[in-house]
Amino acid sequence: MISDIEFALSEFNFQFAYKDLQKIDLYIKRILLLNTRFNLISNSNSNFNAILNLHVIDSLLGLPTIKEINPSEILDVGSGAGFPGIILAIFDTSRKYYLLERSKKKSTFLKMIKLELDLENVKILEYEIEREKKKYEFITIRAFRNMNEYALVLKNLLKDGGLIMAYKGKFDKINLEVSQIKDLFSKIEVKSLNPKLSVDRNLVLLYK
């Protein structure tokens, strides 16, 4: 399984150490083992290669943007099973990642995996987004929901000049969602993710 991870990361030109491969391997196996108990991912994607390609690689494709902006801390909203927060934290150890997850089940899983993977740069926040008072330079969200449902709430958690990075799907749907929130932000940018992906994936960058 580690060889599959190494091949996938190499195909997308990611830099990694062997310990990163070991952590990803363990992380995916824990998801598979505990998925039914914690309701982490869709059962239709509950196999090793699906998690690797649909979740791990997809999460990592946001890392170049993070490194370009270079915030000191990141808030990952609605972390769920840990995508993208856990994945980014494994490969980006110099930055602090706050993973906000309101579900007790999922936040319990996140706390377990943080300890098992020894992710000292991760802190789990278990509550509703409305309770968060801290301001952040950079917020990530990887949700199927319409951006209109969370754009204003997240904007209020941004520092001046801050940025929300939303992982999204098809470009046509993104255009419709962007038209509904364009007046909230000073600038909105859409970045197409790697063309090697088997599905249409984009990053939407919302600047305060």
Side-chain angles (χ1 to χ4, degrees), residues 37-94:
R37 177 179 170 189
F38 290 105
N39 191 28
L40 299 169
I41 60 171
S42 166
N43 285 328
S44 62
N45 295 326
S46 59
N47 66 76
F48 194 96
N49 284 330
I51 295 172
L52 175 60
N53 293 296
L54 296 179
H55 297 294
V56 174
I57 297 299
D58 185 71
S59 295
L60 266 179
L61 289 171
L63 187 55
T65 299
I66 291 171
K67 290 188 172 182
E68 179 185 340
I69 303 298
N70 198 28
S72 59
E73 298 179 333
I74 290 178
L75 174 67
D76 182 42
V77 175
S79 295
F83 304 114
I86 291 290
I87 299 299
L88 293 171
I90 289 172
F91 289 85
D92 191 29
T93 55
S94 63

Side-chain angles (χ1 to χ4, degrees), residues 28 42 54 68 71-73 83 85-86 95 113 115 121 132 149 153 157 170 177 186 197 205:
I28 294 175
S42 166
L54 296 179
E68 179 185 340
S72 59
E73 298 179 333
F83 304 114
I86 291 290
R95 225 176 304 274
I113 209 69
L115 290 173
N121 60 328
E132 182 58 35
E149 296 179 39
V153 174
L157 293 178
K170 292 185 177 180
E177 292 184 27
S186 64
L197 289 174
L205 307 180

Side-chain angles (χ1 to χ4, degrees), residues 112 127 184:
M112 289 168 53
Y127 46 74
L184 290 175

Side-chain angles (χ1 to χ4, degrees), residues 111-128:
K111 290 171 186 175
M112 289 168 53
I113 209 69
K114 164 189 157 61
L115 290 173
E116 191 162 14
L117 299 182
D118 192 27
L119 297 176
E120 295 182 359
N121 60 328
V122 168
K123 182 174 181 180
I124 313 301
L125 309 175
E126 185 190 327
Y127 46 74
E128 298 280 350

